[in-house]
Amino acid sequence: MEGFLAATIVASTPLLFATVGEIVTEKSGLLNLGVEGLMLIGAIMGFVTAFATGDPLLGVLGAAVAGAAGGLIFAFLTVSLRANQVVTGLTLTIFGAGFASFMGKTYVGLVVPKAVKSFFSPVSIPLLGDIPFIGPVFFQRDVFVYFGYLVVILVTLYFYKTRAGLNLKAVGESAAAADASGVNVTLYKYVHTCVGGALCGLGGAYMSLVMMSVWQENVVAGRGWIAVALVIFASWNPIKAFVGAFLFGGLSILGFRLQSMGIHISQYWVDMLPYAATIVIIILSSRKNRKENQPPSDLGIPYFREER
Amino acid sequence: MNWISISKREDLPKNREGVIRAAAVVLSIVCAGIVIWILGYNPIQVFPSMVTGALGSEIRLQQTILKAIPLIVTSLGILVAFKMKFWNIGGEGQILMGALAASYIALNVDGLPKPVMLLLMAIAAMVAGGIWAFIPAFFKAKMGVNETIFTLMLNYIAIKYVTYLQYGPWKAPESKGFPKVANFEQNAIMPELFGIHIGWIIALVCVVVVYIFINHTKKGFEITVVGESRETARYAGMNISSIIIIAMLISGGLCGLTGMIQASAVEKTLSVNLSAGYGFTAIITAWLSRLSAIAVLFVCIAFAILLQGGTYIQISMQIPASVADMIQGIILFFVLGSEFFLQYRVNLPLWNQKVKEVA
């Protein structure tokens, strides 16, 4: 059980980064469906950078910068050029998949350098790691996982405890009102789409650098789309995103576990679980009408100052 | 003074619209050319090679049309949903469920004459695709459940289910270890006309039918109104729930029909790969057509040229397929961006002033 939960943490980390990234983006009122593409861009650029330099931190940085660049393309098209957000997001995914596949062509099957692999090997956090049960599950993992915890805490503090976080909420809820009160709406949308993109890129990098530690075609395998759904499950709250990512990470590795326990259910049925669960969740979450669970009111609605 | 200001265009003359669109395509090709050059290939060879690869000979032209057929039918399905601002991104799953139903008939019903068989398969496919679209439509209409995620998740469930059948219960015993569903009997395979299966006729008929439906029927009009403003529709006394459901039944039905065409005429069996991403590409082609059925025909043919050209340069110039995907993405980014210049005028007061001073 402990082993299963520990593996769940690993499986949930890419989902966590991508979900929090998409939450940051959506809080500014932009619906970026290109998460899958952003993760792929991050996965390959992280891998290529780490492979070329042998430096794990540069790899992580490369993934974040590449993800942010993808976010910038999205922001430019949807904010400045007012393109349709749904279609632009899908295009970003097509582009990202092509980009990752091309860049990764010569890397297929190659393993990350030793220095990177040892950097991302599990380390126990003093004291916390010694707590029975909780320690081995949560606090004897790799530094990238801890970075994920940190991101959740920082983003939560930013959303609920800072002035900029409050402004961001205003931009997402009512861009016109935020604009009227002197918030630079365009800047907020750009910055948060880029930061969100960077986080999605990090989620991809976790897949390629740590989880697989070998480059393979389509390494992200649909996790970006699950992240988009998890945002709804988490009702735009980073803490709930952690819970959601954990649940879905568990579902995604359940098949292997059941088989090793001698329970034979077709892998394909088990594979359906995360998607079926997502559907159940969006149906259930449409039933609850509590105010804090609602999406930002301006989500997906473009804001044009001169059309106010 | 602001250095830049943007104003909405009132009405754009048709020829200006054409100029802007053409400029976007030219710019995107130039930009894609630069990317190709950076990647280490010669764009002056790549682009002509793509065009000759798609149109250069009878066989290649047939290949292009074979790719255009599923795109056209699926795009029309997506169009009906998008008209209503219902973001159906579940085309992929609806195609597969359609193919699944058609295959069930093809594999289990014996001794029917070909036309009856094909008709039965088409009906089964449209019903199955329709049901797969009805599920999210129902929840959207009754409970306001987000359709984007719902339709997307149904894609994955359809993919996993068809994979399960292909690797499990439906695997043909004579295929040895290879996971493959049995081939259809001759009476379940579409006939050809002018060297291409009759799916091209079906596609053309669908274009006309959807055009008439959207532009000249009451239901089609209602769908457009719901898309433009729920409030207006409600005020006019329309039953929004039933309009959403009907439109999605049509949308999923058309996607299901694509599945039947691909299963019957192209794969000649059920395969999880038969949707080949058409469900996603159709979203883009439908949007680029500005949701006009007639435009869908031309945009899809243009896209099929791009797809077939991409396949060709893989073989002739050893350029990986991913390059073609990237070119596709770049061209789309530009075309999406160009929409802005169709709807808005960009004023550069300082620039204009300078130009005047110089003059």
Side-chain angles (χ1 to χ4, degrees):
Chain A
M1 192 61 192
E2 223 171 69
F4 174 66
L5 290 179
T8 296
I9 283 288
V10 171
S12 69
T13 299
L15 291 174
L16 179 67
F17 274 102
T19 308
V20 174
E22 181 66 4
I23 289 176
V24 171
T25 305
E26 290 193 14
K27 276 274 184 179
S28 74
L30 291 173
L31 178 65
N32 183 356
L33 292 182
V35 180
E36 178 85 4
L38 291 170
M39 286 181 82
L40 279 164
I41 292 172
I44 186 60
M45 289 317 284
F47 192 89
V48 169
T49 321
F51 201 87
T53 62
D55 186 334
L57 289 176
L58 278 179
V60 171
L61 186 69
V65 170
L72 186 65
I73 296 176
F74 182 83
F76 177 68
L77 283 169
T78 57
V79 178
S80 295
L81 294 185
R82 300 165 191 191
N84 179 285
Q85 295 175 16
V86 173
V87 180
T88 307
L90 289 169
T91 306
L92 191 57
T93 291
I94 293 179
F95 175 77
F99 180 80
S101 164
F102 178 78
M103 293 295 291
K105 192 178 44 129
T106 52
Y107 292 90
V108 174
L110 293 182
V111 183
V112 290
K114 274 215 173 67
V116 177
K117 205 161 186 170
S118 62
F119 183 81
F120 291 124
S121 58
V123 277
S124 178
I125 296 184
L127 294 176
L128 289 174
D130 301 331
I131 306 170
F133 194 71
I134 296 196
V137 172
F138 293 99
F139 300 113
Q140 295 181 12
R141 306 270 66 81
D142 57 82
V143 285
F144 213 143
V145 168
Y146 300 144
F147 183 45
Y149 299 163
L150 189 68
V151 164
V152 170
I153 296 167
L154 289 179
V155 171
T156 308
L157 289 176
Y158 173 72
F159 279 175
Y160 303 111
K161 298 285 174 205
T162 67
R163 192 182 167 80
L166 205 63
N167 286 343
L168 172 66
K169 192 176 156 91
V171 169
E173 293 295 339
S174 169
D179 193 7
S181 64
V183 176
N184 187 338
V185 172
T186 307
L187 182 69
Y188 266 78
K189 285 183 188 263
Y190 262 94
V191 168
H192 290 91
T193 308
C194 289
V195 172
L199 288 173
C200 293
L202 289 175
Y206 189 82
M207 297 279 330
S208 61
L209 290 179
V210 187
M211 218 167 130
M212 303 296 172
S213 65
V214 95
W215 180 254
Q216 58 188 62
E217 275 275 304
N218 193 19
V219 68
V220 177
R223 284 178 180 78
W225 294 110
I226 293 188
V228 174
L230 273 176
V231 171
I232 299 177
F233 171 80
S235 52
W236 294 266
N237 177 328
I239 306 275
K240 289 188 193 166
F242 181 81
V243 179
F246 190 77
L247 284 176
F248 277 67
L251 280 181
S252 68
I253 57 169
L254 188 63
F256 301 112
R257 283 290 143 169
L258 289 177
Q259 263 165 10
S260 65
M261 284 161 64
I263 302 170
H264 286 287
I265 306 177
S266 167
Q267 179 62 37
Y268 306 108
W269 289 101
V270 180
D271 285 350
M272 278 182 206
L273 281 175
Y275 308 110
T278 306
I279 290 175
V280 172
I281 281 156
I282 55 170
I283 292 173
L284 291 180
S285 54
S286 78
R287 299 297 285 174
K288 52 183 181 188
N289 293 316
R290 283 214 309 269
K291 206 162 162 255
E292 72 266 23
N293 289 332
Q294 295 304 309
S297 335
D298 270 5
L299 184 62
I301 300 167
Y303 172 63
F304 311 141
R305 184 182 241 177
E306 58 278 5
E307 280 173 18
R308 249 188 324 212
Chain B
M1 188 195 270
N2 275 335
W3 65 276
I4 185 167
S5 74
I6 292 159
S7 54
K8 187 132 186 155
R9 287 187 196 273
E10 290 309 322
D11 46 359
L12 189 64
K14 270 268 178 274
N15 57 349
R16 275 298 293 280
E17 187 181 328
V19 168
I20 292 175
R21 283 178 184 281
V25 172
V26 170
L27 253 177
S28 66
I29 290 175
V30 170
C31 188
I34 294 171
V35 172
I36 291 172
W37 180 66
I38 292 171
L39 298 178
Y41 304 100
N42 182 355
I44 298 168
Q45 285 171 353
V46 171
F47 283 122
S49 178
M50 284 179 81
V51 175
T52 51
L55 307 171
S57 73
E58 201 183 320
I59 295 172
R60 292 177 197 159
L61 189 63
Q62 285 173 356
Q63 286 299 320
T64 305
I65 296 173
L66 282 181
K67 288 193 164 70
I69 293 166
L71 260 187
I72 293 169
V73 180
T74 314
S75 303
L76 291 169
I78 300 293
L79 178 153
V80 174
F82 275 27
K83 263 281 176 212
M84 202 173 54
K85 297 222 166 69
F86 186 106
W87 304 112
N88 176 16
I89 52 179
E92 201 78 0
Q94 290 147 21
I95 292 172
L96 276 176
M97 292 315 271
L100 171 68
S103 305
Y104 183 82
I105 304 275
L107 298 170
N108 291 292
V109 179
D110 291 325
L112 288 180
K114 196 169 199 158
V116 181
M117 185 70 171
L118 289 175
L119 192 64
L120 201 60
M121 283 166 68
I123 292 170
M126 290 173 77
V127 170
I131 290 173
W132 213 240
F134 168 80
I135 304 168
F138 174 82
F139 281 99
K140 171 79 177 184
K142 301 293 176 196
M143 290 157 64
V145 175
N146 181 311
E147 76 278 14
T148 319
I149 307 293
F150 206 135
T151 48
L152 185 78
M153 293 298 127
L154 285 177
N155 283 343
Y156 286 103
I157 294 181
I159 291 169
K160 295 291 174 193
Y161 186 54
V162 171
T163 316
Y164 162 73
L165 292 177
Q166 186 181 336
Y167 284 71
W170 285 26
K171 199 173 98 176
E174 64 272 19
S175 71
K176 306 278 180 329
F178 195 67
K180 189 181 175 316
V181 179
N183 278 338
F184 291 174
E185 296 291 328
Q186 201 50 46
N187 67 342
I189 295 172
M190 276 191 186
E192 292 185 352
L193 189 63
F194 304 128
I196 305 166
H197 67 78
I198 57 162
W200 67 270
I201 301 176
I202 300 177
L204 288 179
V205 170
C206 286
V207 168
V208 175
V209 170
V210 170
Y211 173 78
I212 294 172
F213 173 73
I214 292 286
N215 296 293
H216 296 289
T217 67
K218 181 159 170 279
K219 268 283 164 285
F221 175 70
E222 286 179 345
I223 288 172
T224 313
V225 174
V226 170
E228 269 159 21
S229 161
R230 293 268 159 102
E231 280 68 37
T232 312
R234 200 169 294 126
Y235 186 70
M238 295 177 189
N239 182 345
I240 297 178
S241 294
S242 91
I243 293 169
I244 290 179
I245 289 172
I246 289 169
M248 275 306 282
L249 284 173
I250 296 170
S251 178
L254 283 166
C255 294
L257 184 61
T258 304
M260 179 265 177
I261 294 172
Q262 294 305 95
S264 163
V266 180
E267 302 284 332
K268 301 180 173 66
T269 182
L270 177 68
S271 152
V272 72
N273 299 319
L274 64 74
S275 53
Y278 289 123
F280 289 116
T281 312
I283 293 167
I284 290 156
T285 45
W287 189 258
L288 293 183
S289 315
R290 304 194 102 192
L291 308 184
S292 141
I294 305 295
V296 159
L297 181 63
F298 298 102
V299 171
C300 287
I301 291 173
F303 235 79
I305 292 173
L306 204 60
L307 290 175
Q308 172 59 22
T311 315
Y312 179 76
I313 56 170
Q314 267 179 76
I315 306 157
S316 72
M317 304 177 76
Q318 271 81 48
I319 296 178
S322 45
V323 171
D325 286 345
M326 280 170 67
I327 297 175
Q328 234 186 74
I330 291 167
I331 293 178
L332 285 171
F333 282 142
F334 272 90
V335 177
L336 285 170
S338 74
E339 295 285 313
F340 171 77
F341 296 97
L342 294 174
Q343 286 174 38
Y344 301 91
R345 179 195 303 279
V346 180
N347 306 307
L348 302 166
L350 289 178
W351 171 257
N352 290 344
Q353 214 172 18
K354 251 185 221 155
V355 173
K356 259 184 215 147
E357 275 165 20
V358 171

